[in-house]
Amino acid sequence: MMYWFLAFNLLMVFVYLNVSAISTNVFYFLCLLMGVSVGYWVLFVTIAAEQFGTNIRATVTTTAPNFVRGSLPLIILIYSYFRDSIFEGDIIKSGMVVGSLLSIISLLALSQLKETFSVDLDYSEKA
């Protein structure tokens, strides 16, 4: 399911960045679809929590999104590099490239996670 959300999110980024001359209602509908496409955030937090024992699960659940938020300055630097050096001020192409790179990184990271479906999650991490 997470793969579908990430793919849908990437599609919506491309649609949003390439659409022009649309009505207000169509714009609102696009915003609704983009909001649905970021539904993977709930799955992201759940997957992060399931990777750790019950004694630190709450800490991981609150910390994992903060790591994502904390990566924003690096993303801005990468975007600025593409906008200023590669695409000579084209913000649309820069946004599509950075969005694609981040989606590829997300898909690669997701492919390396171990499945926790049949694992007993009632354990504690060893200190």
Side-chain angles (χ1 to χ4, degrees):
M1 187 58 130
M2 185 75 160
Y3 289 108
W4 290 108
F5 272 116
L6 288 172
F8 185 46
N9 182 264
L10 181 61
L11 172 71
M12 288 311 303
V13 166
F14 277 102
V15 169
Y16 186 82
L17 290 175
N18 286 304
V19 72
S20 61
I22 58 172
S23 69
T24 305
N25 289 334
V26 173
F27 177 74
Y28 288 154
F29 185 69
L30 274 178
C31 290
L32 172 78
L33 290 178
M34 286 197 69
V36 170
S37 76
V38 296
Y40 70 86
W41 193 256
V42 174
L43 294 174
F44 164 72
V45 171
T46 304
I47 289 170
E50 288 179 349
Q51 302 300 314
F52 294 88
T54 54
N55 60 333
I56 61 170
R57 195 164 288 159
T59 303
V60 171
T61 303
T62 58
T63 304
N66 289 329
F67 279 116
V68 175
R69 291 182 192 110
S71 67
L72 183 60
L74 179 61
I75 294 169
I76 291 171
L77 287 173
I78 294 169
Y79 171 79
S80 299
Y81 171 75
F82 278 106
R83 183 194 63 208
D84 298 337
S85 299
I86 305 294
F87 294 115
E88 299 172 357
D90 191 340
I91 61 174
I92 303 297
K93 286 181 185 174
S94 302
M96 286 191 290
V97 168
V98 171
S100 298
L101 286 173
L102 295 174
S103 294
I104 290 169
I105 292 169
S106 299
L107 290 168
L108 287 173
L110 184 61
S111 71
Q112 299 303 309
L113 283 177
K114 62 181 181 177
E115 179 60 57
T116 59
F117 180 73
S118 61
V119 175
D120 180 19
L121 297 176
D122 188 21
Y123 61 91
S124 295
E125 297 290 327
K126 306 291 188 259

PDB file of all heavy atoms in Angstrom, residues 14-50:
ATOM      1  N   PHE A  14       3.665  15.851 -10.330  1.00  0.00           N
ATOM      2  CA  PHE A  14       3.830  16.165 -11.755  1.00  0.00           C
ATOM      3  C   PHE A  14       2.590  16.850 -12.315  1.00  0.00           C
ATOM      4  O   PHE A  14       2.691  17.814 -13.075  1.00  0.00           O
ATOM      5  CB  PHE A  14       4.155  14.906 -12.558  1.00  0.00           C
ATOM      6  CG  PHE A  14       5.606  14.543 -12.525  1.00  0.00           C
ATOM      7  CD1 PHE A  14       6.055  13.521 -11.712  1.00  0.00           C
ATOM      8  CD2 PHE A  14       6.526  15.218 -13.294  1.00  0.00           C
ATOM      9  CE1 PHE A  14       7.390  13.179 -11.665  1.00  0.00           C
ATOM     10  CE2 PHE A  14       7.873  14.895 -13.264  1.00  0.00           C
ATOM     11  CZ  PHE A  14       8.301  13.873 -12.445  1.00  0.00           C
ATOM     12  N   VAL A  15       1.417  16.357 -11.962  1.00  0.00           N
ATOM     13  CA  VAL A  15       0.175  16.976 -12.448  1.00  0.00           C
ATOM     14  C   VAL A  15       0.078  18.407 -11.937  1.00  0.00           C
ATOM     15  O   VAL A  15      -0.194  19.341 -12.701  1.00  0.00           O
ATOM     16  CB  VAL A  15      -1.059  16.145 -12.017  1.00  0.00           C
ATOM     17  CG1 VAL A  15      -2.348  16.906 -12.277  1.00  0.00           C
ATOM     18  CG2 VAL A  15      -1.084  14.809 -12.732  1.00  0.00           C
ATOM     19  N   TYR A  16       0.298  18.591 -10.650  1.00  0.00           N
ATOM     20  CA  TYR A  16       0.187  19.920 -10.047  1.00  0.00           C
ATOM     21  C   TYR A  16       1.160  20.911 -10.675  1.00  0.00           C
ATOM     22  O   TYR A  16       0.807  22.065 -10.914  1.00  0.00           O
ATOM     23  CB  TYR A  16       0.429  19.817  -8.543  1.00  0.00           C
ATOM     24  CG  TYR A  16       0.211  21.101  -7.798  1.00  0.00           C
ATOM     25  CD1 TYR A  16      -1.062  21.505  -7.423  1.00  0.00           C
ATOM     26  CD2 TYR A  16       1.287  21.917  -7.462  1.00  0.00           C
ATOM     27  CE1 TYR A  16      -1.266  22.692  -6.739  1.00  0.00           C
ATOM     28  CE2 TYR A  16       1.101  23.100  -6.777  1.00  0.00           C
ATOM     29  CZ  TYR A  16      -0.179  23.477  -6.420  1.00  0.00           C
ATOM     30  OH  TYR A  16      -0.375  24.653  -5.745  1.00  0.00           O
ATOM     31  N   LEU A  17       2.378  20.486 -10.928  1.00  0.00           N
ATOM     32  CA  LEU A  17       3.378  21.392 -11.488  1.00  0.00           C
ATOM     33  C   LEU A  17       3.183  21.672 -12.976  1.00  0.00           C
ATOM     34  O   LEU A  17       3.718  22.648 -13.496  1.00  0.00           O
ATOM     35  CB  LEU A  17       4.785  20.837 -11.241  1.00  0.00           C
ATOM     36  CG  LEU A  17       5.260  20.847  -9.787  1.00  0.00           C
ATOM     37  CD1 LEU A  17       6.613  20.165  -9.662  1.00  0.00           C
ATOM     38  CD2 LEU A  17       5.307  22.254  -9.222  1.00  0.00           C
ATOM     39  N   ASN A  18       2.433  20.838 -13.670  1.00  0.00           N
ATOM     40  CA  ASN A  18       2.270  21.010 -15.116  1.00  0.00           C
ATOM     41  C   ASN A  18       0.922  21.560 -15.540  1.00  0.00           C
ATOM     42  O   ASN A  18       0.727  21.866 -16.711  1.00  0.00           O
ATOM     43  CB  ASN A  18       2.524  19.685 -15.834  1.00  0.00           C
ATOM     44  CG  ASN A  18       3.993  19.346 -15.870  1.00  0.00           C
ATOM     45  OD1 ASN A  18       4.796  20.140 -16.358  1.00  0.00           O
ATOM     46  ND2 ASN A  18       4.348  18.204 -15.330  1.00  0.00           N
ATOM     47  N   VAL A  19      -0.015  21.687 -14.628  1.00  0.00           N
ATOM     48  CA  VAL A  19      -1.339  22.165 -14.997  1.00  0.00           C
ATOM     49  C   VAL A  19      -1.335  23.691 -15.086  1.00  0.00           C
ATOM     50  O   VAL A  19      -0.612  24.370 -14.361  1.00  0.00           O
ATOM     51  CB  VAL A  19      -2.404  21.644 -13.991  1.00  0.00           C
ATOM     52  CG1 VAL A  19      -2.273  22.349 -12.665  1.00  0.00           C
ATOM     53  CG2 VAL A  19      -3.784  21.764 -14.550  1.00  0.00           C
ATOM     54  N   SER A  20      -2.104  24.221 -16.018  1.00  0.00           N
ATOM     55  CA  SER A  20      -2.196  25.676 -16.150  1.00  0.00           C
ATOM     56  C   SER A  20      -3.587  26.037 -16.662  1.00  0.00           C
ATOM     57  O   SER A  20      -4.289  25.209 -17.250  1.00  0.00           O
ATOM     58  CB  SER A  20      -1.128  26.211 -17.110  1.00  0.00           C
ATOM     59  OG  SER A  20      -1.312  25.658 -18.396  1.00  0.00           O
ATOM     60  N   ALA A  21      -3.969  27.274 -16.414  1.00  0.00           N
ATOM     61  CA  ALA A  21      -5.252  27.819 -16.875  1.00  0.00           C
ATOM     62  C   ALA A  21      -6.424  26.932 -16.458  1.00  0.00           C
ATOM     63  O   ALA A  21      -7.200  26.473 -17.302  1.00  0.00           O
ATOM     64  CB  ALA A  21      -5.229  28.026 -18.390  1.00  0.00           C
ATOM     65  N   ILE A  22      -6.555  26.708 -15.165  1.00  0.00           N
ATOM     66  CA  ILE A  22      -7.649  25.880 -14.668  1.00  0.00           C
ATOM     67  C   ILE A  22      -8.578  26.723 -13.798  1.00  0.00           C
ATOM     68  O   ILE A  22      -8.202  27.788 -13.312  1.00  0.00           O
ATOM     69  CB  ILE A  22      -7.123  24.685 -13.851  1.00  0.00           C
ATOM     70  CG1 ILE A  22      -6.265  25.151 -12.676  1.00  0.00           C
ATOM     71  CG2 ILE A  22      -6.374  23.717 -14.729  1.00  0.00           C
ATOM     72  CD1 ILE A  22      -5.855  24.056 -11.720  1.00  0.00           C
ATOM     73  N   SER A  23      -9.776  26.234 -13.621  1.00  0.00           N
ATOM     74  CA  SER A  23     -10.747  26.946 -12.792  1.00  0.00           C
ATOM     75  C   SER A  23     -10.425  26.735 -11.311  1.00  0.00           C
ATOM     76  O   SER A  23      -9.629  25.868 -10.943  1.00  0.00           O
ATOM     77  CB  SER A  23     -12.160  26.442 -13.090  1.00  0.00           C
ATOM     78  OG  SER A  23     -12.305  25.108 -12.620  1.00  0.00           O
ATOM     79  N   THR A  24     -11.080  27.512 -10.491  1.00  0.00           N
ATOM     80  CA  THR A  24     -10.882  27.405  -9.047  1.00  0.00           C
ATOM     81  C   THR A  24     -11.319  26.031  -8.550  1.00  0.00           C
ATOM     82  O   THR A  24     -10.641  25.424  -7.713  1.00  0.00           O
ATOM     83  CB  THR A  24     -11.685  28.504  -8.326  1.00  0.00           C
ATOM     84  OG1 THR A  24     -11.306  29.766  -8.855  1.00  0.00           O
ATOM     85  CG2 THR A  24     -11.433  28.482  -6.836  1.00  0.00           C
ATOM     86  N   ASN A  25     -12.434  25.521  -9.067  1.00  0.00           N
ATOM     87  CA  ASN A  25     -12.921  24.216  -8.627  1.00  0.00           C
ATOM     88  C   ASN A  25     -11.954  23.096  -8.985  1.00  0.00           C
ATOM     89  O   ASN A  25     -11.740  22.173  -8.193  1.00  0.00           O
ATOM     90  CB  ASN A  25     -14.305  23.926  -9.208  1.00  0.00           C
ATOM     91  CG  ASN A  25     -15.377  24.783  -8.580  1.00  0.00           C
ATOM     92  OD1 ASN A  25     -15.232  25.234  -7.440  1.00  0.00           O
ATOM     93  ND2 ASN A  25     -16.444  25.039  -9.320  1.00  0.00           N
ATOM     94  N   VAL A  26     -11.363  23.166 -10.160  1.00  0.00           N
ATOM     95  CA  VAL A  26     -10.383  22.154 -10.560  1.00  0.00           C
ATOM     96  C   VAL A  26      -9.142  22.254  -9.674  1.00  0.00           C
ATOM     97  O   VAL A  26      -8.580  21.236  -9.256  1.00  0.00           O
ATOM     98  CB  VAL A  26     -10.002  22.296 -12.051  1.00  0.00           C
ATOM     99  CG1 VAL A  26      -8.875  21.370 -12.434  1.00  0.00           C
ATOM    100  CG2 VAL A  26     -11.222  22.032 -12.926  1.00  0.00           C
ATOM    101  N   PHE A  27      -8.731  23.478  -9.352  1.00  0.00           N
ATOM    102  CA  PHE A  27      -7.588  23.665  -8.457  1.00  0.00           C
ATOM    103  C   PHE A  27      -7.876  23.052  -7.093  1.00  0.00           C
ATOM    104  O   PHE A  27      -7.033  22.373  -6.514  1.00  0.00           O
ATOM    105  CB  PHE A  27      -7.253  25.148  -8.332  1.00  0.00           C
ATOM    106  CG  PHE A  27      -6.141  25.415  -7.365  1.00  0.00           C
ATOM    107  CD1 PHE A  27      -4.826  25.107  -7.698  1.00  0.00           C
ATOM    108  CD2 PHE A  27      -6.403  25.942  -6.114  1.00  0.00           C
ATOM    109  CE1 PHE A  27      -3.789  25.342  -6.809  1.00  0.00           C
ATOM    110  CE2 PHE A  27      -5.377  26.178  -5.216  1.00  0.00           C
ATOM    111  CZ  PHE A  27      -4.071  25.879  -5.558  1.00  0.00           C
ATOM    112  N   TYR A  28      -9.064  23.297  -6.555  1.00  0.00           N
ATOM    113  CA  TYR A  28      -9.427  22.716  -5.262  1.00  0.00           C
ATOM    114  C   TYR A  28      -9.447  21.194  -5.330  1.00  0.00           C
ATOM    115  O   TYR A  28      -9.043  20.514  -4.386  1.00  0.00           O
ATOM    116  CB  TYR A  28     -10.791  23.233  -4.796  1.00  0.00           C
ATOM    117  CG  TYR A  28     -10.779  24.674  -4.353  1.00  0.00           C
ATOM    118  CD1 TYR A  28     -11.931  25.436  -4.412  1.00  0.00           C
ATOM    119  CD2 TYR A  28      -9.625  25.285  -3.866  1.00  0.00           C
ATOM    120  CE1 TYR A  28     -11.942  26.763  -4.001  1.00  0.00           C
ATOM    121  CE2 TYR A  28      -9.619  26.602  -3.459  1.00  0.00           C
ATOM    122  CZ  TYR A  28     -10.784  27.338  -3.528  1.00  0.00           C
ATOM    123  OH  TYR A  28     -10.778  28.637  -3.127  1.00  0.00           O
ATOM    124  N   PHE A  29      -9.931  20.656  -6.437  1.00  0.00           N
ATOM    125  CA  PHE A  29      -9.948  19.201  -6.598  1.00  0.00           C
ATOM    126  C   PHE A  29      -8.525  18.649  -6.647  1.00  0.00           C
ATOM    127  O   PHE A  29      -8.228  17.612  -6.061  1.00  0.00           O
ATOM    128  CB  PHE A  29     -10.732  18.802  -7.850  1.00  0.00           C
ATOM    129  CG  PHE A  29     -10.887  17.330  -8.016  1.00  0.00           C
ATOM    130  CD1 PHE A  29     -11.682  16.594  -7.152  1.00  0.00           C
ATOM    131  CD2 PHE A  29     -10.215  16.668  -9.035  1.00  0.00           C
ATOM    132  CE1 PHE A  29     -11.815  15.231  -7.292  1.00  0.00           C
ATOM    133  CE2 PHE A  29     -10.345  15.303  -9.186  1.00  0.00           C
ATOM    134  CZ  PHE A  29     -11.146  14.577  -8.313  1.00  0.00           C
ATOM    135  N   LEU A  30      -7.628  19.346  -7.332  1.00  0.00           N
ATOM    136  CA  LEU A  30      -6.217  18.937  -7.351  1.00  0.00           C
ATOM    137  C   LEU A  30      -5.621  18.965  -5.946  1.00  0.00           C
ATOM    138  O   LEU A  30      -4.862  18.068  -5.573  1.00  0.00           O
ATOM    139  CB  LEU A  30      -5.407  19.856  -8.267  1.00  0.00           C
ATOM    140  CG  LEU A  30      -5.360  19.507  -9.736  1.00  0.00           C
ATOM    141  CD1 LEU A  30      -4.545  20.548 -10.494  1.00  0.00           C
ATOM    142  CD2 LEU A  30      -4.779  18.143  -9.957  1.00  0.00           C
ATOM    143  N   CYS A  31      -5.960  19.987  -5.186  1.00  0.00           N
ATOM    144  CA  CYS A  31      -5.478  20.065  -3.797  1.00  0.00           C
ATOM    145  C   CYS A  31      -6.016  18.905  -2.976  1.00  0.00           C
ATOM    146  O   CYS A  31      -5.292  18.332  -2.152  1.00  0.00           O
ATOM    147  CB  CYS A  31      -5.879  21.391  -3.173  1.00  0.00           C
ATOM    148  SG  CYS A  31      -4.983  22.809  -3.851  1.00  0.00           S
ATOM    149  N   LEU A  32      -7.277  18.531  -3.201  1.00  0.00           N
ATOM    150  CA  LEU A  32      -7.855  17.380  -2.512  1.00  0.00           C
ATOM    151  C   LEU A  32      -7.098  16.105  -2.862  1.00  0.00           C
ATOM    152  O   LEU A  32      -6.736  15.322  -1.978  1.00  0.00           O
ATOM    153  CB  LEU A  32      -9.336  17.223  -2.868  1.00  0.00           C
ATOM    154  CG  LEU A  32      -9.990  15.953  -2.359  1.00  0.00           C
ATOM    155  CD1 LEU A  32     -10.320  16.084  -0.883  1.00  0.00           C
ATOM    156  CD2 LEU A  32     -11.213  15.622  -3.157  1.00  0.00           C
ATOM    157  N   LEU A  33      -6.828  15.900  -4.144  1.00  0.00           N
ATOM    158  CA  LEU A  33      -6.090  14.701  -4.572  1.00  0.00           C
ATOM    159  C   LEU A  33      -4.673  14.682  -4.008  1.00  0.00           C
ATOM    160  O   LEU A  33      -4.171  13.627  -3.613  1.00  0.00           O
ATOM    161  CB  LEU A  33      -6.060  14.602  -6.093  1.00  0.00           C
ATOM    162  CG  LEU A  33      -7.378  14.268  -6.762  1.00  0.00           C
ATOM    163  CD1 LEU A  33      -7.221  14.257  -8.283  1.00  0.00           C
ATOM    164  CD2 LEU A  33      -7.928  12.940  -6.283  1.00  0.00           C
ATOM    165  N   MET A  34      -4.030  15.850  -3.958  1.00  0.00           N
ATOM    166  CA  MET A  34      -2.688  15.899  -3.366  1.00  0.00           C
ATOM    167  C   MET A  34      -2.746  15.562  -1.883  1.00  0.00           C
ATOM    168  O   MET A  34      -1.861  14.895  -1.359  1.00  0.00           O
ATOM    169  CB  MET A  34      -2.040  17.258  -3.585  1.00  0.00           C
ATOM    170  CG  MET A  34      -1.578  17.450  -5.005  1.00  0.00           C
ATOM    171  SD  MET A  34      -0.418  18.778  -5.215  1.00  0.00           S
ATOM    172  CE  MET A  34       1.002  18.139  -4.393  1.00  0.00           C
ATOM    173  N   GLY A  35      -3.792  16.021  -1.208  1.00  0.00           N
ATOM    174  CA  GLY A  35      -3.961  15.691   0.198  1.00  0.00           C
ATOM    175  C   GLY A  35      -4.145  14.196   0.413  1.00  0.00           C
ATOM    176  O   GLY A  35      -3.586  13.608   1.348  1.00  0.00           O
ATOM    177  N   VAL A  36      -4.913  13.564  -0.463  1.00  0.00           N
ATOM    178  CA  VAL A  36      -5.091  12.112  -0.378  1.00  0.00           C
ATOM    179  C   VAL A  36      -3.766  11.402  -0.660  1.00  0.00           C
ATOM    180  O   VAL A  36      -3.434  10.402  -0.024  1.00  0.00           O
ATOM    181  CB  VAL A  36      -6.191  11.641  -1.359  1.00  0.00           C
ATOM    182  CG1 VAL A  36      -6.235  10.134  -1.467  1.00  0.00           C
ATOM    183  CG2 VAL A  36      -7.544  12.177  -0.928  1.00  0.00           C
ATOM    184  N   SER A  37      -2.991  11.942  -1.583  1.00  0.00           N
ATOM    185  CA  SER A  37      -1.734  11.281  -1.961  1.00  0.00           C
ATOM    186  C   SER A  37      -0.696  11.298  -0.849  1.00  0.00           C
ATOM    187  O   SER A  37       0.226  10.490  -0.861  1.00  0.00           O
ATOM    188  CB  SER A  37      -1.155  11.912  -3.232  1.00  0.00           C
ATOM    189  OG  SER A  37      -0.547  13.159  -2.952  1.00  0.00           O
ATOM    190  N   VAL A  38      -0.821  12.203   0.105  1.00  0.00           N
ATOM    191  CA  VAL A  38       0.123  12.214   1.218  1.00  0.00           C
ATOM    192  C   VAL A  38      -0.404  11.405   2.404  1.00  0.00           C
ATOM    193  O   VAL A  38       0.098  11.519   3.514  1.00  0.00           O
ATOM    194  CB  VAL A  38       0.515  13.640   1.676  1.00  0.00           C
ATOM    195  CG1 VAL A  38       1.254  14.363   0.584  1.00  0.00           C
ATOM    196  CG2 VAL A  38      -0.690  14.419   2.140  1.00  0.00           C
ATOM    197  N   GLY A  39      -1.375  10.544   2.144  1.00  0.00           N
ATOM    198  CA  GLY A  39      -1.890   9.647   3.173  1.00  0.00           C
ATOM    199  C   GLY A  39      -0.868   8.635   3.631  1.00  0.00           C
ATOM    200  O   GLY A  39      -1.052   7.963   4.641  1.00  0.00           O
ATOM    201  N   TYR A  40       0.224   8.519   2.895  1.00  0.00           N
ATOM    202  CA  TYR A  40       1.292   7.599   3.305  1.00  0.00           C
ATOM    203  C   TYR A  40       1.930   8.046   4.604  1.00  0.00           C
ATOM    204  O   TYR A  40       2.616   7.268   5.255  1.00  0.00           O
ATOM    205  CB  TYR A  40       2.355   7.464   2.216  1.00  0.00           C
ATOM    206  CG  TYR A  40       3.197   8.687   2.005  1.00  0.00           C
ATOM    207  CD1 TYR A  40       4.336   8.905   2.772  1.00  0.00           C
ATOM    208  CD2 TYR A  40       2.875   9.626   1.041  1.00  0.00           C
ATOM    209  CE1 TYR A  40       5.114  10.032   2.592  1.00  0.00           C
ATOM    210  CE2 TYR A  40       3.640  10.750   0.850  1.00  0.00           C
ATOM    211  CZ  TYR A  40       4.758  10.948   1.627  1.00  0.00           C
ATOM    212  OH  TYR A  40       5.521  12.056   1.456  1.00  0.00           O
ATOM    213  N   TRP A  41       1.718   9.291   5.011  1.00  0.00           N
ATOM    214  CA  TRP A  41       2.341   9.798   6.231  1.00  0.00           C
ATOM    215  C   TRP A  41       1.920   8.963   7.438  1.00  0.00           C
ATOM    216  O   TRP A  41       2.734   8.667   8.309  1.00  0.00           O
ATOM    217  CB  TRP A  41       1.967  11.262   6.416  1.00  0.00           C
ATOM    218  CG  TRP A  41       2.793  11.951   7.442  1.00  0.00           C
ATOM    219  CD1 TRP A  41       2.407  12.273   8.702  1.00  0.00           C
ATOM    220  CD2 TRP A  41       4.143  12.386   7.312  1.00  0.00           C
ATOM    221  NE1 TRP A  41       3.434  12.906   9.362  1.00  0.00           N
ATOM    222  CE2 TRP A  41       4.515  12.984   8.527  1.00  0.00           C
ATOM    223  CE3 TRP A  41       5.079  12.335   6.284  1.00  0.00           C
ATOM    224  CZ2 TRP A  41       5.774  13.518   8.749  1.00  0.00           C
ATOM    225  CZ3 TRP A  41       6.324  12.876   6.510  1.00  0.00           C
ATOM    226  CH2 TRP A  41       6.666  13.449   7.723  1.00  0.00           C
ATOM    227  N   VAL A  42       0.658   8.572   7.489  1.00  0.00           N
ATOM    228  CA  VAL A  42       0.171   7.726   8.592  1.00  0.00           C
ATOM    229  C   VAL A  42       0.869   6.371   8.545  1.00  0.00           C
ATOM    230  O   VAL A  42       1.293   5.834   9.570  1.00  0.00           O
ATOM    231  CB  VAL A  42      -1.355   7.555   8.502  1.00  0.00           C
ATOM    232  CG1 VAL A  42      -1.859   6.565   9.532  1.00  0.00           C
ATOM    233  CG2 VAL A  42      -2.045   8.888   8.656  1.00  0.00           C
ATOM    234  N   LEU A  43       1.004   5.814   7.358  1.00  0.00           N
ATOM    235  CA  LEU A  43       1.706   4.538   7.213  1.00  0.00           C
ATOM    236  C   LEU A  43       3.177   4.682   7.579  1.00  0.00           C
ATOM    237  O   LEU A  43       3.763   3.781   8.184  1.00  0.00           O
ATOM    238  CB  LEU A  43       1.568   4.017   5.787  1.00  0.00           C
ATOM    239  CG  LEU A  43       0.161   3.627   5.352  1.00  0.00           C
ATOM    240  CD1 LEU A  43       0.153   3.272   3.879  1.00  0.00           C
ATOM    241  CD2 LEU A  43      -0.360   2.485   6.189  1.00  0.00           C
ATOM    242  N   PHE A  44       3.775   5.804   7.217  1.00  0.00           N
ATOM    243  CA  PHE A  44       5.179   6.057   7.538  1.00  0.00           C
ATOM    244  C   PHE A  44       5.410   6.013   9.049  1.00  0.00           C
ATOM    245  O   PHE A  44       6.339   5.367   9.534  1.00  0.00           O
ATOM    246  CB  PHE A  44       5.587   7.419   6.957  1.00  0.00           C
ATOM    247  CG  PHE A  44       6.861   7.972   7.510  1.00  0.00           C
ATOM    248  CD1 PHE A  44       8.081   7.408   7.163  1.00  0.00           C
ATOM    249  CD2 PHE A  44       6.849   9.056   8.372  1.00  0.00           C
ATOM    250  CE1 PHE A  44       9.267   7.922   7.666  1.00  0.00           C
ATOM    251  CE2 PHE A  44       8.020   9.569   8.877  1.00  0.00           C
ATOM    252  CZ  PHE A  44       9.231   9.000   8.528  1.00  0.00           C
ATOM    253  N   VAL A  45       4.558   6.686   9.793  1.00  0.00           N
ATOM    254  CA  VAL A  45       4.696   6.725  11.248  1.00  0.00           C
ATOM    255  C   VAL A  45       4.465   5.329  11.838  1.00  0.00           C
ATOM    256  O   VAL A  45       5.182   4.893  12.746  1.00  0.00           O
ATOM    257  CB  VAL A  45       3.737   7.768  11.855  1.00  0.00           C
ATOM    258  CG1 VAL A  45       3.703   7.687  13.362  1.00  0.00           C
ATOM    259  CG2 VAL A  45       4.128   9.160  11.408  1.00  0.00           C
ATOM    260  N   THR A  46       3.482   4.615  11.301  1.00  0.00           N
ATOM    261  CA  THR A  46       3.194   3.268  11.790  1.00  0.00           C
ATOM    262  C   THR A  46       4.348   2.316  11.514  1.00  0.00           C
ATOM    263  O   THR A  46       4.755   1.539  12.389  1.00  0.00           O
ATOM    264  CB  THR A  46       1.910   2.729  11.130  1.00  0.00           C
ATOM    265  OG1 THR A  46       0.844   3.639  11.383  1.00  0.00           O
ATOM    266  CG2 THR A  46       1.550   1.358  11.656  1.00  0.00           C
ATOM    267  N   ILE A  47       4.902   2.376  10.311  1.00  0.00           N
ATOM    268  CA  ILE A  47       6.035   1.514   9.958  1.00  0.00           C
ATOM    269  C   ILE A  47       7.235   1.835  10.844  1.00  0.00           C
ATOM    270  O   ILE A  47       7.932   0.933  11.316  1.00  0.00           O
ATOM    271  CB  ILE A  47       6.386   1.667   8.467  1.00  0.00           C
ATOM    272  CG1 ILE A  47       5.293   1.031   7.609  1.00  0.00           C
ATOM    273  CG2 ILE A  47       7.732   1.041   8.148  1.00  0.00           C
ATOM    274  CD1 ILE A  47       5.416   1.347   6.128  1.00  0.00           C
ATOM    275  N   ALA A  48       7.476   3.121  11.083  1.00  0.00           N
ATOM    276  CA  ALA A  48       8.596   3.503  11.948  1.00  0.00           C
ATOM    277  C   ALA A  48       8.407   2.938  13.350  1.00  0.00           C
ATOM    278  O   ALA A  48       9.355   2.415  13.948  1.00  0.00           O
ATOM    279  CB  ALA A  48       8.713   5.026  12.001  1.00  0.00           C
ATOM    280  N   ALA A  49       7.200   3.014  13.870  1.00  0.00           N
ATOM    281  CA  ALA A  49       6.939   2.511  15.225  1.00  0.00           C
ATOM    282  C   ALA A  49       7.119   1.003  15.304  1.00  0.00           C
ATOM    283  O   ALA A  49       7.608   0.481  16.316  1.00  0.00           O
ATOM    284  CB  ALA A  49       5.530   2.894  15.657  1.00  0.00           C
ATOM    285  N   GLU A  50       6.745   0.290  14.263  1.00  0.00           N
ATOM    286  CA  GLU A  50       6.823  -1.168  14.283  1.00  0.00           C
ATOM    287  C   GLU A  50       8.247  -1.705  14.210  1.00  0.00           C
ATOM    288  O   GLU A  50       8.474  -2.879  14.460  1.00  0.00           O
ATOM    289  CB  GLU A  50       6.004  -1.760  13.132  1.00  0.00           C
ATOM    290  CG  GLU A  50       4.520  -1.633  13.332  1.00  0.00           C
ATOM    291  CD  GLU A  50       3.744  -2.203  12.179  1.00  0.00           C
ATOM    292  OE1 GLU A  50       4.346  -2.521  11.124  1.00  0.00           O
ATOM    293  OE2 GLU A  50       2.517  -2.341  12.312  1.00  0.00           O
TER     294      GLU A  50
END
